[in-house]
Amino acid sequence: MRLGEITVKVRVIGQRATRKVRVAQKTRAADLLNQLGLNRETVVVRLNGKIVAEEERLADGDSVEILPVVTGG
Amino acid sequence: MTKCTFCGRRAAYHRRYAGVFLCDRCMIRSVERRFRRSMGEHRLVSPGERVAVAVSGGKDSVACMHLLADYCRRKNCELVAVTVDEGIRGYREESLPIARENAKQLGVEHFVVSFEQAFGATLDQITTLARRKGTGLNPCTYCGVMRRSLLNQAARELDADKLATAHNLDDEVQAIMLNYVRADFSRLYRLGPSYPPREGFVPRVKPLRGIPEKEVALYALLKGIKVHLGVCPYVGGIHAEIREFLNRLEANHPNSKFMILRMFDRMRPHLAEAMPEFEMRRCEVCGEPTSSTLCKSCELLRGLGLGRKQKTLISTKST
Ligand SMILES: [Zn+2]
Ligand SMILES: [Zn+2]
């Protein structure tokens, strides 16, 4: 791991695997979504089990669950 | 940690178009307030009326049923729920029990009507048939038309004064854009907080029309309401492209969806002047209202070599 980087566990609901993603320190959930190519208007972010605003900053070892909710069902 | 603009607790949502953060409690309250305001402003339901709500089991319709159940309790209205089982394998059989469970929990009488029972074919079968016959129509076209027709008939058989559907802001703006792209004037005109009353149609109301889809989802999740979050396997085509476009627009320019809706609502009264008058008749086959001899649903069925099977949808027993 490079200096100034943290690792977070990411799971997109509906996809099977949990993956580890390296992001810069003080990355916001919104930045992570960008990095993953997901539109914030279409998902809800659960940070360590809590639904949070996408401006919330991530810390090393955090668990991030992403729920696609805007699917046009 | 981001904090709620109103009470300082941890924020669960950044409502970017309004420039505020909301915690779980303030978010739930805000959605409930908007729902009640929309019900009152547009006089969607009057005290003492009987309301049928269409419930698929998905987040929007289940949330809508919860909000309506509370509203109806206060306003002395009667609420019944209807689920249309289109016959989509791996999708509807998961969401249907969730619709049923929520209705039971709320003490709302629940009825299921199915494509198979009404048309003698599931949507899956209709899709295969349409492909084989090369009709060039996609599953969403069949599903949309036929579901609407069954909901109207079910609501009428249930003696409902209003038929509530869970269309949210995203659905409505998508429909506006889609009708623009298709230059479908009469469909465009018919979009609104409530459907203009026409003979044979149970008036339709859309109480979630002013609430973004993401906020409806958050409401359900934050309230701990059990919902089905699956995606319909037939989602795709131009509907999906328009949705994607609108979400990109909203992400880069918050408030775009509301602006499109507001602009449309301002234009809508003027569209009435340009609407051609036509006489309402009864479909020769099923008796549903239509402007020609066959209703759209029966016309689609005929194109597939199918026809209406069962005349009455609702038997007295609810599930
Ligand atoms: Zn608050
Ligand atoms: Zn017909």
Side-chain angles (χ1 to χ4, degrees):
Chain A
M1 191 163 86
R2 265 183 286 157
L3 206 66
E5 273 190 345
I6 55 170
T7 306
V8 293
K9 291 189 286 275
V10 178
R11 192 162 102 91
V12 182
I13 304 302
Q15 297 174 8
R16 231 173 297 151
T18 300
R19 48 187 157 154
K20 291 193 169 167
V21 178
R22 266 200 235 167
V23 293
Q25 240 165 28
K26 293 194 174 166
T27 288
R28 301 167 317 146
D31 304 321
L32 174 70
L33 294 177
N34 270 339
Q35 198 174 318
L36 298 171
L38 296 168
N39 186 328
R40 61 183 289 162
E41 297 302 321
T42 66
V43 299
V44 166
V45 174
R46 248 193 214 129
L47 179 58
N48 303 319
K50 271 272 190 201
I51 293 176
V52 296
E54 288 85 2
E55 275 62 31
E56 195 92 29
R57 293 193 189 281
L58 307 178
D60 194 45
D62 273 351
S63 139
V64 183
E65 254 186 338
I66 300 168
L67 279 89
V69 291
V70 174
T71 51
Chain B
M1 190 179 95
T2 53
K3 288 186 176 167
C4 175
T5 308
F6 303 100
C7 74
R9 295 171 73 242
R10 187 181 194 176
Y13 177 53
H14 183 192
R15 184 178 273 162
R16 293 167 75 223
Y17 60 82
V20 295
F21 287 88
L22 295 113
C23 68
D24 48 359
R25 278 187 221 157
C26 292
M27 181 61 193
I28 288 171
R29 234 174 280 149
S30 167
V31 170
E32 289 173 346
R33 210 164 32 228
R34 276 190 191 188
F35 175 85
R36 282 197 299 269
R37 202 194 305 144
S38 156
M39 293 293 284
E41 228 170 63
H42 304 292
R43 291 187 194 173
L44 297 185
V45 173
S46 308
E49 282 189 324
R50 185 166 157 89
V51 183
V53 59
V55 184
S56 67
K59 62 184 192 310
D60 301 294
S61 61
V62 171
C64 190
M65 177 166 61
H66 277 257
L67 288 160
L68 273 170
D70 178 60
Y71 187 88
C72 287
R73 225 172 288 126
R74 293 164 194 248
K75 300 281 177 181
N76 233 337
C77 293
E78 240 180 299
L79 186 66
V80 291
V82 181
T83 302
V84 176
D85 181 357
E86 304 91 347
I88 305 172
R89 268 188 75 186
Y91 180 64
R92 198 48 85 220
E93 64 255 48
E94 279 176 27
S95 70
L96 207 150
I98 293 174
R100 185 178 291 138
E101 213 176 291
N102 277 284
K104 196 173 170 196
Q105 184 202 328
L106 293 167
V108 174
E109 216 180 340
H110 179 233
F111 300 87
V112 180
V113 298
S114 74
F115 275 21
E116 193 164 28
Q117 154 205 2
F119 310 126
T122 64
L123 182 65
D124 289 341
Q125 291 167 331
I126 287 170
T127 303
T128 313
L129 211 55
R131 214 169 283 150
R132 206 183 307 144
K133 295 213 169 215
T135 63
L137 298 172
N138 63 21
C140 299
T141 303
Y142 289 101
C143 188
V145 169
M146 293 166 137
R147 190 173 29 169
R148 240 188 324 268
S149 144
L150 285 195
L151 280 173
N152 185 57
Q153 192 187 335
R156 207 179 46 228
E157 287 179 16
L158 288 166
D159 274 323
D161 299 297
K162 299 283 161 61
L163 169 60
T165 59
H167 293 97
N168 55 46
L169 174 70
D170 295 48
D171 296 326
E172 199 72 351
V173 174
Q174 275 162 46
I176 292 170
M177 297 303 282
L178 185 69
N179 288 318
Y180 261 111
V181 173
R182 290 184 170 163
D184 193 331
F185 191 85
S186 59
R187 283 243 169 95
L188 181 71
Y189 172 69
R190 291 204 300 259
L191 295 168
S194 61
Y195 205 73
R198 288 185 302 171
E199 211 198 313
F201 285 104
V202 177
R204 276 204 285 148
V205 297
K206 301 176 193 167
L208 303 185
R209 187 176 182 259
I211 306 176
E213 184 165 353
K214 179 164 172 176
E215 298 191 14
V216 179
L218 277 164
Y219 176 76
L221 291 168
L222 293 171
K223 274 211 91 166
I225 296 171
K226 194 173 173 197
V227 298
H228 181 240
L229 283 175
V231 183
C232 177
Y234 292 121
V235 158
I238 192 167
H239 292 84
E241 281 176 56
I242 289 177
R243 185 170 55 247
E244 228 180 278
F245 160 72
L246 288 169
N247 283 323
R248 204 163 47 231
L249 199 66
E250 183 71 26
N252 296 334
H253 311 279
N255 211 27
S256 296
K257 290 175 189 170
F258 272 113
M259 287 308 192
I260 294 172
L261 186 74
R262 212 161 294 155
M263 187 65 191
F264 173 70
D265 284 351
R266 279 178 63 186
M267 293 191 315
R268 200 164 165 273
H270 305 288
L271 300 182
E273 297 160 26
M275 261 308 275
E277 286 272 334
F278 48 77
E279 205 190 327
M280 268 301 162
R281 289 191 270 184
R282 294 266 163 200
C283 170
E284 274 178 356
V285 175
C286 72
E288 281 295 293
T290 176
S291 55
S292 65
T293 49
L294 275 188
C295 75
K296 190 84 186 137
S297 178
C298 287
E299 189 190 309
L300 288 177
L301 285 167
R302 187 165 284 184
L304 294 170
L306 297 170
R308 273 295 268 238
K309 285 273 181 274
Q310 197 173 322
K311 283 264 186 253
T312 309
L313 295 175
I314 308 274
S315 52
T316 41
K317 102 183 155 34
S318 65
T319 61

